[in-house]
Amino acid sequence: MEETTERIEKPVSSEAPGMDLKSTRGAFMSNLELPRKGSVQQWLFDRSEVFEPIFNYIGKKVVPQHRHSIWYYFGGLTLFFFIIQIVTGLLLLLYYKPTEAEAFSSFVYIQKVVPYGWLIRQIHAWSANLMVLMAFIHMFSTFFMKAYRKPRELMWVSGFVLLLLTLGFGFTGYLLPWNNLAFYATQIGTEVPKAAPGGALIVELLRGGADVTGETLTRMFSLHVVLLPGITMLLLSAHLMLMQIFGTSIPIGYKEKGLVKGYEPFFPNFLMKDFIGWMIGFALLIYLAIAVPWEIGIQADPLSPPDANIKPEWYFWAQFQLLKDLKFPGGELLAIILFTIGGVVWLLVPFIDRQAAREEKSPVFTIFGLLVLAFLIIESYRVYLDYGFH
Ligand code: HEM
């Protein structure tokens, strides 16, 4: 391969979407000093042509700038906390033992003996919560910006399943420390499907028997560290691939009204800004992990329920409150039906909202979204009033 001796030509750039940077790698490299001949940098630089097609592909994407551009950061933040989960989860796996006899003691060992084990566990617990929060903000922001409309329907569908998977991570991970509160909360949580026809089978499959036991722990563990991460990574790749193919959406009417101030290249400009967002998220995460640690609790004991009121994690509070509201014969089944219908309608929004698909405003759907959001916030707040946060 010919050695590079000159500075790479500046690329052609344009302001319009789909701008054609001749070489994004070139654009990036042209701002750097040329490596010395024969140096390691020179060697790497010459071979970096391998990545040329990737750089060029990524370089096609531009991000529109307008007064709501801030919301474009939340998908990336969700991704950031997911990456943190993978890294810290792998570290926890070095010491965690997923058996009834050893789960709690290995968990205490990580917290108290393993150097920085406490920090890794606290980061894992807080990052899980932040990931769920970011995923909710990302979902509602894409909803209100109608980013689900044609041609991004599958982005919405894949995103919705990603949210369910994220909640699945929370649910299965909760039992792993094998402490008493988690044990009884899982007992109640896994009981819910029983009210639905065929639900008893689901309960038995989840628990690995009639009750929550060591079998349940093994099942939750394998779901948490094998099945859910595998499916999530596949689906996430599809979600991000679709993002690359379709590019970032613009709210309805913004282009026509001249509300789009310009476009900036995703790589490296927007990615660098994403990075600043990630660093702010990381600072918040470290602060929470150190200043507001999650409890260890006491080992699970099937014979002594905890004194504290048992409630699920905050992201299941709305469902929990609805179940409490409908405490009459058949109420549980009604709650399950309502949530299933609500979930299916939410999933199908891109296909139902025909106005948005025609690039027309669809206020009915905006109101629908506001009602769903109000329902989730009010119901969750009611749980907070009754039980507090912890
Ligand atoms: C694990 C969870 C998720 C991750 C890591 C993720 C990641 C991303 C990223 C990085 C983007 C591009 C940047 C942005 O526009 O924010 C994006 C876009 C998008 N996501 Fe997600 N997402 C997740 C969940 C969801 C959910 C729950 C939904 C909705 C149900 C969703 C729907 C969308 C849509 C419609 C876009 C296109 C936005 C646009 O073009 O303006 N995603 N996602």
Side-chain angles (χ1 to χ4, degrees):
M1 197 181 289
E2 210 180 288
E3 297 256 291
T4 314
T5 48
E6 288 166 37
R7 193 169 262 269
I8 286 184
E9 218 176 89
K10 280 247 179 227
V12 182
S13 80
S14 110
E15 291 170 355
M19 65 178 196
D20 184 24
L21 285 181
K22 255 197 190 147
S23 157
T24 312
R25 166 181 163 267
F28 192 55
M29 294 303 198
S30 63
N31 293 322
L32 305 175
E33 283 297 309
L34 258 194
R36 234 181 336 103
K37 262 194 169 182
S39 63
V40 178
Q41 290 98 314
Q42 174 74 63
W43 191 91
L44 287 171
F45 185 76
D46 288 337
R47 274 131 199 99
S48 67
E49 261 172 50
V50 175
F51 303 107
E52 185 94 38
I54 302 173
F55 275 120
N56 281 344
Y57 187 53
I58 296 176
K60 291 222 166 62
K61 194 176 145 194
V62 289
V63 180
Q65 291 169 307
H66 50 78
R67 64 195 161 110
H68 287 305
S69 298
I70 183 95
W71 301 109
Y72 295 139
Y73 290 96
F74 286 89
L77 276 166
T78 315
L79 179 62
F80 174 66
F81 288 118
F82 179 62
I83 295 169
I84 299 259
Q85 287 310 90
I86 301 285
V87 175
T88 52
L90 284 171
L91 289 174
L92 291 174
L93 272 183
L94 297 176
Y95 291 96
Y96 176 74
K97 308 231 166 35
T99 63
E100 191 175 355
E102 290 182 298
F104 186 73
S105 55
S106 67
F107 169 67
V108 174
Y109 185 77
I110 291 172
Q111 278 272 161
K112 299 209 161 151
V113 182
V114 177
Y116 297 104
W118 63 273
L119 185 61
I120 301 297
R121 185 254 163 165
Q122 294 297 343
I123 290 180
H124 196 74
W126 269 113
S127 171
N129 282 277
L130 290 174
M131 179 182 168
V132 176
L133 182 65
M134 294 303 129
F136 269 110
I137 297 178
H138 174 54
M139 178 173 76
F140 277 103
S141 59
T142 54
F143 181 90
F144 289 119
M145 297 216 283
K146 312 275 159 82
Y148 55 73
R149 69 190 189 277
K150 189 182 157 192
R152 293 178 185 75
E153 296 93 335
L154 288 182
M155 291 215 60
W156 176 262
V157 172
S158 57
F160 182 79
V161 182
L162 279 171
L163 181 77
L164 297 184
L165 291 166
T166 307
L167 297 178
F169 272 113
F171 188 75
T172 52
Y174 194 45
L175 185 66
L176 300 187
W178 201 244
N179 59 31
N180 219 24
L181 204 62
F183 177 84
Y184 282 94
T186 307
Q187 190 86 37
I188 297 173
T190 51
E191 191 77 19
V192 176
K194 258 193 189 161
L201 181 67
I202 300 177
V203 175
E204 191 149 344
L205 277 174
L206 273 176
R207 290 181 177 170
D211 294 304
V212 173
T213 60
E215 290 295 321
T216 323
L217 179 64
T218 316
R219 286 180 188 212
M220 294 295 172
F221 177 73
S222 59
L223 287 172
H224 193 77
V225 306
V226 181
L227 196 70
L228 291 175
I231 305 178
T232 304
M233 282 191 209
L234 277 178
L235 211 65
L236 192 55
S237 314
H239 195 67
L240 298 179
M241 204 63 199
L242 287 169
M243 184 77 241
Q244 182 61 36
I245 292 168
F246 294 125
T248 309
S249 73
I250 299 173
I252 296 172
Y254 270 40
K255 234 192 276 179
E256 294 74 11
K257 287 189 202 144
L259 293 173
V260 179
K261 287 184 238 143
Y263 298 86
E264 62 181 335
F266 173 75
F267 185 85
N269 303 39
F270 190 78
L271 193 61
M272 290 297 165
K273 290 189 184 171
D274 250 345
F275 192 72
I276 296 173
W278 292 18
M279 289 306 100
I280 295 171
F282 191 65
L284 175 69
L285 176 63
I286 298 296
Y287 168 75
L288 290 169
I290 293 173
V292 198
W294 292 87
E295 287 170 16
I296 297 180
I298 53 162
Q299 179 154 6
D301 181 355
L303 299 177
S304 75
D307 296 335
N309 281 323
I310 303 164
K311 64 173 184 320
E313 297 271 66
W314 62 269
Y315 35 86
F316 294 118
W317 282 1
Q319 290 92 319
F320 179 64
Q321 183 62 41
L322 187 71
L323 281 165
K324 279 177 50 182
D325 291 343
L326 303 179
K327 269 251 170 299
F328 49 78
E332 276 203 354
L333 179 60
L334 182 62
I336 294 175
I337 293 174
L338 287 176
F339 254 96
T340 311
I341 294 178
V344 172
V345 172
W346 192 249
L347 172 74
L348 296 178
V349 155
F351 308 98
I352 310 173
D353 186 356
R354 301 322 301 158
Q355 277 170 302
R358 290 193 298 268
E359 291 292 314
E360 293 162 17
K361 291 204 162 176
S362 52
V364 173
F365 282 84
T366 308
I367 294 168
F368 173 59
L370 286 171
L371 289 175
V372 171
L373 187 58
F375 166 78
L376 293 177
I377 292 175
I378 292 170
E379 289 291 81
S380 303
Y381 187 60
R382 289 177 61 202
V383 175
Y384 172 75
L385 288 181
D386 286 348
Y387 296 80
F389 192 76
H390 276 298

